[in-house]
Amino acid sequence: MRGVTALLRRELQRYWRRRGDALQAPLIFCLICLLFPLGGVPSPEHLARYAPAVIWAGALTACIFGLEALYRQEMAEGWVDAMLLSAWPMPLVLFIKALVHWLFTGLPVVLLAWPMSRALYFPAEQVSAILYGLLLGTPVLVLLGGIGAGLTAGMGRGGLLTSLLMLPLYVPVLIFGAGCGVAAHDGLPITGQLYLLACMLVAAMFLAPWASAAALKIASESS
Amino acid sequence: MWLWFHRLGSGPTFYPFAGRLAWLLAIPGLLLLLHGLYGALWAAPVDYQQGQGYRMIFVHVPAAWLSLFIYSSMAVAAVVALIWRMKVAEVYIIDAAIPGAGFTAAALITGMLWGKPMWGTYWVWDARLTSELILLFLYLGVLALDQAIEDKRQAARACALLALVGAVNVPIVHYSVEWWNTLHQGPTVSKFDSPSMDMRMLVPLLELTLASTLLFGTIVLVRMRATLLWRERHSRWVGEIVEAGQ
């Protein structure tokens, strides 16, 4: 347990020291959300209709960009190899890393989604539906993304490849996450979508760290 | 049995075995293909509603079946590759992914060509179509990952893990897409809505599906033989085969 807190503190410090880098992902999220009105018809009814899709497209992109920072430096510094050699259970280590990564890249996106939804004229009383969807969905994106980031960790520049590998796998999260917003916009209940997202989150929390550990192990074999 | 299974996993045993098996699959596959094509293109009657256009199904269904069959077989091979580190299973994943991506693309393209005259549009955001498109991207992801990693054994293991993760995801993608689709659109056109097929159409369809599965087996075995030769080009058994000129 002391090890867990030590690791948690190390991760928090790492991200805090480079908080400027961590801010890039939420900034990209805002930019993407603001590009859509410029590229389309900026009328309130159109924007409100597409707001969930825009917000989620932004969240997916921001998450994918953020994944770069997940293991790349650790891999280069030899931290991954040291961890693999140590008695630490790798899935637990990666779970903690994913958690801290989400705190610094996912949570800001969830918080920024509130002003962004309003900027897209999404009805104020329904915004919570988008936020709940993101709150349950973005950790799934980070956890799943850990697998892709692990597979490409050994490469010089695998960012583009990570998105190619991961985006198809993000489809279910996108459907139910954005589905929350769409259903709320139409005045329908959103509990079904939220339950399914929660289900995915539990499954991802349980399974994804194991898959990420296997991926990192494969990636570290060459070096 | 177990010993045989393990021996089969190594190049020198697999290579001649795959050569024989490829012929064993190719001969019935070709015969079935010819007979099925005859049945499909000449013997089967014209559809009363769709005219000759329905004959696209004889390409479309085998391709769509193979796109799913190959991905599932890759997932099985991935388990074998990750647990037992069997070289042959590692080679299978990549060598099956290329025809797999081809069949997926063929299923999509034939479906679109059929959809234009029948549905009046090339593309509908239907659950089946969308999940097939995502499957194509999963195949391309496996291929891209293989290309990106220099060390081929490591690449194969990475692809195995990706194929496995993808295989867990495919049913989730399929059902979520179906759910999304039914939420957003009215009743969609489904090709299985029509009453059951005439036997003169169904038999060639099944024959062609079986034939293309057998011929896929041949193709993948030939590819695997070539890949094994190249990967183990410095080993002695390859040298012996090359010298013997087989």
Side-chain angles (χ1 to χ4, degrees):
Chain A
M1 201 58 218
R2 266 184 56 211
V4 171
T5 39
L7 186 64
L8 202 60
R9 192 175 310 128
R10 171 194 180 265
E11 284 302 314
L12 285 170
Q13 274 177 351
R14 253 178 51 95
Y15 274 89
W16 181 250
R17 281 188 195 134
R18 299 194 298 136
R19 53 192 176 274
D21 290 359
L23 267 178
Q24 284 174 1
L27 281 177
I28 284 173
F29 167 73
C30 292
L31 260 178
I32 290 171
C33 291
L34 298 175
L35 284 180
F36 273 84
L38 298 176
V41 191
S43 69
E45 63 270 26
H46 278 98
L47 287 178
R49 187 79 263 194
Y50 278 92
V54 171
I55 298 264
W56 270 88
L60 288 185
T61 321
C63 175
I64 285 282
F65 277 117
L67 285 175
E68 283 271 350
L70 197 50
Y71 306 134
R72 180 81 21 98
Q73 205 189 348
E74 269 83 351
M75 197 76 179
E77 287 171 351
W79 182 87
V80 170
D81 295 302
M83 271 295 160
L84 282 170
L85 286 173
S86 75
W88 276 83
M90 203 59 180
L92 180 67
V93 173
L94 297 185
F95 178 76
I96 294 170
K97 275 191 76 68
L99 185 76
V100 176
H101 184 81
W102 177 78
L103 273 179
F104 277 85
T105 58
L107 195 59
V109 166
V110 179
L111 297 177
L112 281 169
W114 193 81
M116 285 301 127
S117 318
R118 292 300 294 133
L120 297 167
Y121 300 108
F122 199 75
E125 56 274 26
Q126 319 287 8
V127 168
S128 60
I130 289 187
L131 298 189
Y132 287 142
L134 282 171
L135 201 59
L136 286 171
T138 44
V140 184
L141 301 183
V142 172
L143 284 163
L144 274 183
I147 305 172
L151 283 174
T152 57
M155 298 170 199
R157 37 191 286 281
L160 215 53
L161 185 60
T162 316
S163 28
L164 179 60
L165 302 184
M166 280 302 128
L167 283 176
L169 302 180
Y170 282 172
V171 168
V173 186
L174 168 72
I175 286 173
F176 294 117
C180 265
V182 174
H185 184 263
D186 294 347
L188 297 169
I190 57 163
T191 41
Q193 283 93 328
L194 288 181
Y195 283 146
L196 280 161
L197 278 175
C199 180
M200 285 183 199
L201 177 57
V202 172
M205 269 163 52
F206 187 69
L207 295 173
W210 265 267
S212 310
L216 267 183
K217 205 165 165 226
I218 292 169
S220 69
E221 270 168 8
S222 67
S223 47
Chain B
M1 170 69 195
W2 198 239
L3 187 73
W4 177 81
F5 179 65
H6 265 280
R7 265 218 214 114
L8 202 59
S10 71
T13 322
F14 182 80
Y15 185 82
F17 171 79
R20 280 197 299 278
L21 189 62
W23 279 109
L24 217 62
L25 297 177
I27 292 166
L30 277 175
L31 290 177
L32 265 176
L33 181 72
L34 289 176
H35 190 260
L37 276 179
Y38 169 75
L41 299 182
W42 277 278
V46 174
D47 187 86
Y48 81 99
Q49 208 175 10
Q50 304 184 2
Q52 300 283 4
Y54 89 94
R55 292 188 201 275
M56 193 65 99
I57 200 175
F58 294 117
V59 186
H60 180 71
V61 169
W65 147 253
L66 273 173
S67 68
L68 292 171
F69 170 79
I70 294 172
Y71 204 85
S72 335
S73 70
M74 279 163 60
V76 174
V79 172
V80 176
L82 286 177
I83 296 177
W84 289 294
R85 298 201 169 211
M86 207 173 266
K87 249 184 221 164
V88 168
E90 291 172 3
V91 169
Y92 176 84
I93 293 166
I94 299 306
D95 282 337
I98 297 170
F103 280 119
T104 313
L108 282 168
I109 291 168
T110 52
M112 287 166 84
L113 291 177
W114 177 88
K116 183 66 186 168
M118 301 303 161
W119 293 346
T121 170
Y122 284 115
W123 186 259
V124 187
W125 288 100
D126 173 78
R128 275 166 194 274
L129 277 70
T130 314
S131 34
E132 190 77 4
L133 186 64
I134 291 167
L135 185 64
L136 178 64
F137 279 107
L138 287 177
Y139 273 118
L140 296 179
V142 170
L143 291 174
L145 185 62
D146 175 60
Q147 290 283 309
I149 302 179
E150 206 71 21
D151 175 1
K152 280 302 147 198
R153 284 213 71 179
Q154 192 197 357
R157 293 172 56 70
C159 289
L161 187 70
L162 183 65
L164 209 56
V165 174
V168 173
N169 225 279
V170 162
I172 304 177
V173 168
H174 183 80
Y175 285 108
S176 56
V177 167
E178 207 154 79
W179 195 85
W180 153 75
N181 178 265
T182 46
L183 189 73
H184 278 265
Q185 296 176 0
T188 43
V189 199
S190 165
K191 59 183 182 293
F192 290 114
D193 274 351
S194 54
S196 60
M197 291 172 95
D198 189 283
M199 281 308 277
R200 283 170 296 172
M201 299 178 185
L202 187 62
V203 170
L205 183 61
L206 293 178
E207 277 179 345
L208 284 172
T209 307
L210 187 60
S212 38
T213 312
L214 291 173
L215 290 175
F216 157 72
T218 308
I219 291 170
V220 85
L221 285 170
V222 171
R223 292 189 62 95
M224 284 168 76
R225 269 160 64 96
T227 312
L228 275 174
L229 273 191
W230 179 248
R231 284 208 190 155
E232 306 199 2
R233 58 189 179 277
H234 301 303
S235 67
R236 193 142 52 106
W237 69 271
V238 173
E240 280 164 11
I241 283 173
V242 170
E243 268 169 33
Q246 280 173 344

